[in-house]
Amino acid sequence: MTMAPAGIEQRRKLTTEIPGPRSKELHDRRIHAVSAGLTVGLPVYIDRAEGAILVDVDGNQLIDLGAGIAVTSVGHAVPEVTDAIARQAARFTHTCFMVTPYEGYVEVCEALNRLTPGDHDKRSALFNSGAEAVENAVKIARLATGRQAIVVVDHAYHGRTNLTMALTAKNMPYKDRFGPFAPEVYRVATSYPFHDELSGAEAARRAIAEIETSVGAHNVAAVLIEPIQGEGGFIVPAKGFLPALSAWCTASGAQFIADEIQTGFCRTGAWFACDDEGVVPDMVTTAKGIAAGMPLAGVTGRTEVMNAVHEGGLGGTYGGNPVAAAAALAAIEVMRRDDLAARASWIGTVARRRLDALAVESPFIGEVRGRGAMIAVEFVEPGTKAPNAAAVKAVIAACAAEGVVVISCGTLGNVVRLLPNLAIAETLLDDGLAVIESAVRALDQTL
Ligand SMILES: Cc1ncc(COP(=O)(O)O)c(C=O)c1O
């Protein structure tokens, strides 16, 4: 049996029903203390975690196939990371990089400049959250180009702050009645091969025609896009779509900003998803997997663009916090040392083999897609491509009852996404997939 370093056995084990009595008590307290505006996927309260196992307050051991939405990519409580956090916390927790700087911040920027696609000269800046990174990428692109229009695509998700709500596509729950939203944001069609059946070149021609007609190339500061769309449904664009958009940006003097917040840091089988088609973005936004759960985000771009900003134009109290920076450096080293990009590809191969076979068998599965350890199953009404959110709810509930945490996505809520940590033990991955298979097979009875 595989053991995680500090001793939580890497195996699923249920001692109560899910959620258990102690989780139910905490959930009741939560209802009386926490805003109802925050939903909870699974009201199981976590006591500790290691590797790919979450231990809840009732002692149940659950397999985590979500990694906190692609965050703990190296695994939970990895000693290299927790040691780095403890060491840095004991030295100092904060000075504010803009007041008195420290090495960790510089080192994370050096790593981002080295690892993000392209070997051109780059500079980076650090922030606290993905949304904050995206906001800053937009600020920088506007200033550097002297233009205002930001082009985003259907199904995009870029965050929940005011500007990023405007950039995000889906109304409910992210935007509904939270407006007015920031202006100069334009949305065009994306590439969604399962539904539009277009080649990458065709989808790019459609998007570019929309931009040129409704915005005007000379007005575009940036095209901002997730190389594989995350919250929107793990939509993998057809080959050629991203390179064509990137080339159009270069020809038009616009910045091509890749939002790699969910796809970055080995998740898709490479350091960044753009690497797959050799796309070199002008700017890259990062967060999530970068720091194994500590809040950290980055914007990396061409030196002349990043340095176009006037002194003091970027910053924030906590951005690039020393403890978060130490966690990032340790997590990045684990990814490099253990070649977690290759491990992500292996996870993708194992999962796809089983899920593709399941898709042949189940009329509820429209498509299995993804890259590396970013895997999606789109559920449909049998015999159609119409979304089936009820099937997703049923599968997720059945998995939860058996102690497997999986999450949904998709503009229409009809996609189950798997984002296991990249070091997950093979036995756990197999067990988790077996539970998903049973949940899907049971749909015939439940729906
Ligand atoms: C692609 C992408 N961009 C931006 C964000 C926003 O990041 P955060 O929640 O850290 O603000 C997310 C979060 O899910 C994301 O997936």
Side-chain angles (χ1 to χ4, degrees):
M1 193 67 62
T2 311
M3 300 289 284
I8 295 179
E9 199 181 2
Q10 294 295 289
R11 125 178 133 82
R12 183 167 60 99
K13 192 169 75 186
L14 298 185
T15 53
T16 70
E17 59 171 8
I18 299 287
R22 185 82 188 99
S23 273
K24 281 186 183 150
E25 266 174 45
L26 283 172
H27 201 60
D28 191 50
R29 268 174 60 195
R30 171 199 166 109
I31 287 165
H32 292 94
V34 181
S35 163
L38 288 114
T39 50
V40 58
L42 175 60
V44 158
Y45 287 71
I46 301 308
D47 178 52
R48 57 215 160 90
E50 269 182 39
I53 289 289
L54 303 169
V55 184
D56 76 8
V57 287
D58 293 289
N60 295 298
Q61 296 197 179
L62 298 96
I63 303 177
D64 182 6
L65 294 184
I69 320 188
V71 172
T72 51
S73 296
V74 293
H76 291 287
V78 170
E80 290 83 345
V81 175
T82 53
D83 290 351
I85 290 172
R87 272 198 308 274
Q88 179 57 46
R91 287 172 62 213
F92 60 93
T93 54
H94 179 76
T95 61
C96 186
F97 188 73
M98 299 177 306
V99 179
T100 47
Y102 41 88
E103 186 176 356
Y105 189 115
V106 178
E107 223 177 320
V108 172
C109 290
E110 287 168 348
L112 282 168
N113 298 345
R114 192 175 62 247
L115 296 171
T116 51
D119 52 14
H120 51 282
D121 206 31
K122 299 172 203 156
R123 296 288 184 275
S124 293
L126 304 181
F127 304 96
N128 300 291
S129 69
E132 199 188 347
V134 171
E135 291 247 0
N136 277 279
V138 168
K139 276 164 64 172
I140 298 164
R142 282 180 170 155
L143 188 150
T145 59
R147 304 171 177 182
Q148 294 190 343
I150 304 297
V151 175
V152 288
V153 299
D154 288 340
H155 306 287
Y157 182 86
H158 298 291
R160 293 171 177 265
T161 55
N162 185 267
L163 174 57
T164 57
M165 278 192 291
L167 302 167
T168 287
K170 185 175 174 177
N171 178 50
M172 203 59 183
Y174 307 126
K175 304 168 71 161
D176 198 53
R177 292 165 291 157
F178 289 141
F181 302 115
E184 288 300 321
V185 173
Y186 300 89
R187 192 171 310 284
V188 300
T190 189
S191 166
Y192 195 160
F194 177 58
H195 288 288
D196 64 28
E197 295 176 9
L198 296 178
S199 70
E202 288 164 344
R205 266 200 299 280
R206 178 176 67 177
I208 289 165
E210 281 178 60
I211 300 170
E212 290 182 341
T213 310
S214 59
V215 191
H218 59 285
N219 292 316
V220 178
V223 172
L224 166 67
I225 190 162
E226 302 152 82
I228 296 177
Q229 293 188 263
E231 305 302 302
F234 279 25
I235 305 164
V236 186
K239 283 259 179 267
F241 180 68
L242 294 175
L245 279 189
S246 164
W248 181 86
C249 284
T250 304
S252 310
Q255 293 287 296
F256 182 79
I257 308 176
D259 181 344
E260 292 253 16
I261 285 166
Q262 192 153 164
T263 49
F265 286 100
C266 300
R267 174 59 50 192
T268 64
W271 278 104
F272 292 93
C274 279
D275 292 332
D276 186 61
E277 285 192 89
V279 170
V280 177
D282 299 299
M283 301 173 86
V284 179
T285 55
T286 47
K288 289 189 183 284
I290 188 175
M294 296 299 284
L296 189 74
V299 177
T300 303
R302 297 181 187 282
T303 298
E304 61 275 22
V305 171
M306 297 297 289
N307 283 353
V309 181
H310 47 273
E311 270 188 39
L314 303 176
T317 304
Y318 297 113
N321 169 274
V323 182
L329 293 169
I332 290 169
E333 176 51 21
V334 170
M335 291 178 207
R336 187 202 62 78
R337 185 195 68 196
D338 297 347
D339 196 359
L340 291 188
R343 196 92 200 322
S345 297
W346 173 83
I347 289 170
T349 306
V350 169
R352 287 293 292 271
R353 197 183 306 128
R354 289 178 65 164
L355 295 170
D356 284 341
L358 190 63
V360 172
E361 191 187 309
S362 172
F364 291 96
I365 296 181
E367 187 180 49
V368 178
R369 59 172 175 264
R371 193 183 302 149
M374 186 169 183
I375 305 148
V377 184
E378 179 162 335
F379 285 81
V380 293
E381 299 294 345
T384 74
K385 288 189 178 181
N388 192 337
V392 166
K393 280 205 177 81
V395 167
I396 287 178
C399 288
E402 290 299 318
V404 177
V405 179
V406 290
I407 43 186
S408 66
C409 64
T411 305
L412 300 169
N414 65 320
V415 179
V416 168
R417 58 173 150 174
L418 305 184
L419 292 159
N421 86 52
L422 309 179
I424 187 170
E426 189 168 0
T427 47
L428 280 189
L429 183 61
D430 282 345
D431 188 23
L433 288 167
V435 170
I436 293 169
E437 285 164 350
S438 303
V440 172
R441 288 188 183 120
L443 284 175
D444 278 333
Q445 283 88 58
T446 51
L447 288 187

